[in-house]
């Protein structure tokens, strides 16, 4: 594929372009240090994806992404930035990935993989492989193995077993984005900070009007707002 790299800092621009040119899945790299110039290049056509910095003078990366979202066929975007706090806005704009600087080659390769696969949100019949990083190593976790997800600011912690230390993985995706993407696969919001995989719920307990679900022996509190919705879902799933 042919990509466009947009960054107002020339050293970062050159390094990212060099790394992308090393990837055999990338057939051509164009660069610009201006969001306005990027628009002109994109109007010319021939660009399959955009690697976009966020904080730039004048038209920012988020501003440019909002403009591109109004294209008849918006190009997929990977944000590349030194700032974590823009993640929610980035995923609201349907970004395929959000890569933090300094960029590591293996992390960039993962972003390219997501682009090659189309950046398509997983449907209910796919068992997505979730890339997780620990100690500088990227591993893959099966979505079906995720018991529940816990919000931690702009991040989410995936729990894949009873050991909350060993069996948990932090990913740079807001809980709201995972709720939207994984809802068709049976993940349900039970609290403003919790998303649970219904396939791993072993018990639902009611005690004095308060609801709790049991997942791998771990009790998880269901908010009053989500209690009725959860019980209705479980009833429908268990109905012949």
């Amino acid at each position: 594929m042919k990509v466009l790299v947009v960054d107002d800092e020339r050293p970062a621009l050159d390094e990212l372009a060099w790394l992308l040119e090393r990837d055999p899945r990338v057939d051509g790299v164009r660069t610009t240090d201006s969001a306005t110039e990027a628009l002109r290049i994109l109007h010319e056509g021939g660009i399959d994806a955009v690697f976009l910095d966020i904080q730039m003078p004048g038209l920012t990366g988020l501003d440019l992404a909002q403009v591109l979202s109004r294209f008849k066929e918006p190009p997929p975007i990977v944000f590349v930035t030194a700032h974590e706090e823009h993640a929610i806005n980035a995923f609201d704009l349907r970004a395929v990935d959000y890569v933090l600087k300094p960029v590591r080659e293996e992390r960039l390769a993962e972003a390219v993989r997501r682009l090659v696969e189309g950046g398509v949100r997983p449907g209910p019949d796919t068992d997505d492989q979730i890339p997780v990083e620990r100690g500088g190593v990227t591993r893959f976790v099966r979505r079906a193995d995720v018991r529940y997800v816990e919000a931690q600011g702009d991040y989410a912690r995936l729990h894949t077993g009873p050991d909350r230390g060993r069996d948990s993985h932090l990913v740079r995706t807001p809980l709201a984005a995972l709720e939207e993407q994984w809802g068709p696969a049976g993940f349900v919001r039970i609290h403003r900070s919790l998303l649970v995989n219904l396939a791993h719920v072993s018990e639902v307990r009611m005690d004095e009007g308060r609801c709790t679900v049991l997942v791998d022996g771990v009790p998880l509190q269901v908010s009053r707002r989500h209690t009725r919705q959860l019980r209705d879902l479980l009833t429908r799933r268990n109905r012949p």
Side-chain angles (χ1 to χ4, degrees):
M1 61 181 174
K2 292 178 171 58
V3 302
L4 173 65
V5 182
V6 188
D7 196 317
D8 66 304
E9 296 179 353
R10 179 54 62 175
L13 183 67
D14 292 343
E15 180 183 14
L16 187 55
W18 180 76
L19 289 172
L20 285 167
E21 287 167 351
R22 287 166 53 89
D23 194 306
R25 296 165 295 186
V26 177
D27 187 43
V29 179
R30 294 188 66 175
T31 63
T32 177
D33 58 4
S34 161
T36 304
E37 175 68 10
L39 270 177
R40 185 190 64 77
I41 294 171
L42 289 164
H43 275 296
E44 291 176 357
I47 298 296
D48 299 308
V50 182
F51 287 79
L52 182 58
D53 187 22
I54 288 182
Q55 291 197 338
M56 296 187 292
L59 196 66
T60 70
L62 291 174
D63 293 334
L64 177 58
Q66 288 176 338
V67 173
L68 297 181
S69 70
R70 294 194 286 271
F71 276 29
K72 184 177 180 180
E73 295 184 4
I77 293 173
V78 172
F79 284 105
V80 183
T81 177
H83 305 279
E84 298 177 355
E85 64 268 22
H86 301 294
I88 291 180
N89 290 332
F91 285 107
D92 283 346
L93 290 166
R94 308 291 183 177
V96 172
D97 208 345
Y98 192 91
V99 179
L100 285 177
K101 298 177 182 178
V103 179
R104 292 181 291 107
E105 188 167 9
E106 61 270 23
R107 181 64 183 85
L108 189 63
E110 168 60 20
V112 173
R113 181 191 70 82
R114 295 183 184 187
L115 285 168
V116 169
E117 293 181 356
V120 178
R121 296 178 182 275
D125 297 325
T126 63
D127 189 11
D128 214 22
Q129 299 288 324
I130 314 302
V132 298
E133 296 184 20
R134 178 178 290 177
V137 178
T138 300
R139 296 182 175 88
F140 291 88
V141 172
R142 294 174 63 241
R143 185 180 59 193
D145 292 336
V146 178
R147 272 62 169 172
Y148 63 99
V149 186
E150 189 176 8
Q152 293 192 349
D154 292 342
Y155 292 72
R157 184 167 293 280
L158 312 181
H159 293 275
T160 56
D163 189 325
R164 292 174 65 90
R166 185 187 62 189
D167 298 328
S168 72
H169 312 275
L170 199 64
V171 295
R172 197 175 292 114
T173 308
L175 191 70
L178 289 180
E179 179 185 15
E180 182 180 351
Q181 295 174 22
W182 293 4
F187 285 79
V188 175
R189 181 79 74 105
I190 63 169
H191 191 277
R192 66 180 180 182
S193 62
L194 286 172
L195 192 67
V196 70
N197 186 348
L198 292 181
H200 291 282
V201 174
S202 58
E203 284 186 22
V204 179
R205 300 174 177 174
M206 294 298 298
D207 183 17
E208 296 183 355
R210 302 193 68 84
C211 182
T212 304
V213 297
L214 205 64
V215 179
D216 273 346
V218 178
L220 301 175
Q221 188 71 49
V222 183
S223 70
R224 292 185 183 276
R225 173 188 172 195
H226 293 96
T227 295
R228 181 181 294 275
Q229 176 190 9
L230 176 65
R231 294 181 68 182
D232 289 346
L233 278 171
L234 290 172
T235 300
R236 288 200 300 269
R237 284 170 68 91
N238 293 324
R239 185 177 296 152

